[in-house]
């Protein structure tokens, strides 16, 4: 089992920044690629960003490219999502996920999920 816990969500004005963290624990959690997804009310959960754990290759949704940055601290077994130039449409619950199959852009590729953290961007 791998346990994931997100933190860092909150309320921010449009144009502001937030940094989300996701700490992992459990058996072999350090070998798992990580991803961030988000889900707004009434919408499907969508891919935001992913990172390979060993090499650190990153992937982004077009909607966040140039504004969000995913990174990892292997020693702390933690992944981060730095979100800049936030827009009201970024409002959602953000979820961290872990994949034993490498970084994926589909929710189906992930084995474990955190409980989520709310991000609200006011206009």
């Amino acid at each position: 089992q791998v346990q994931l816990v997100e933190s860092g969500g909150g309320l921010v004005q449009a144009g502001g920044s937030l940094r989300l963290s996701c700490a992992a624990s459990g058996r072999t959690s350090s070998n798992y690629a990580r991803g961030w997804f988000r889900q707004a009310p009434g919408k499907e959960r969508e891919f935001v960003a992913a990172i390979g754990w060993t090499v650190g290759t990153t992937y982004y949704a077009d909607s966040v490219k140039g504004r969000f940055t995913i990174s990892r601290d292997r020693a702390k077994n933690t992944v981060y999502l730095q979100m800049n130039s936030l827009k009201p449409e970024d409002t959602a619950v953000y979820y961290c996920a872990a994949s034993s199959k490498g970084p994926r852009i589909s929710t189906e590729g992930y084995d474990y999920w955190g409980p989520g953290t709310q991000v609200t961007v006011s206009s």
Side-chain angles (χ1 to χ4, degrees), residues 39-88:
Q39 188 167 18
K43 294 189 176 181
E44 304 247 333
R45 191 169 297 189
E46 64 174 6
F47 170 75
V48 176
I51 187 166
W53 202 248
T54 303
V55 177
T57 305
T58 58
Y59 305 84
Y60 295 95
D62 288 342
S63 58
V64 306
K65 276 181 184 175
R67 300 189 299 123
F68 291 11
T69 302
I70 187 171
S71 62
R72 81 224 191 280
D73 184 327
R74 296 176 66 183
K76 294 182 179 179
N77 209 354
T78 298
V79 64
Y80 304 96
L81 186 68
Q82 177 66 44
M83 305 186 294
N84 299 328
S85 302
L86 282 161
K87 305 174 182 179

Side-chain angles (χ1 to χ4, degrees), residues 83-97:
M83 305 186 294
N84 299 328
S85 302
L86 282 161
K87 305 174 182 179
E89 51 263 45
D90 294 318
T91 296
V93 177
Y94 282 71
Y95 297 91
C96 173

Side-chain angles (χ1 to χ4, degrees), residues 1 6 13 15 24-25 27 29 37 42 45 47 54 66 71 73-74 92 111 115-116 118 121:
Q1 281 283 1
E6 304 96 338
Q13 288 188 331
S25 60
R27 186 172 61 90
S29 63
F37 289 76
R45 191 169 297 189
F47 170 75
T54 303
S71 62
D73 184 327
R74 296 176 66 183
D111 305 283
Q118 177 71 46
V121 184

Side-chain angles (χ1 to χ4, degrees), residues 15 36 50 64 95 101 119 123:
W36 286 99
V64 306
Y95 297 91
K101 308 171 191 69
V119 171
S123 56

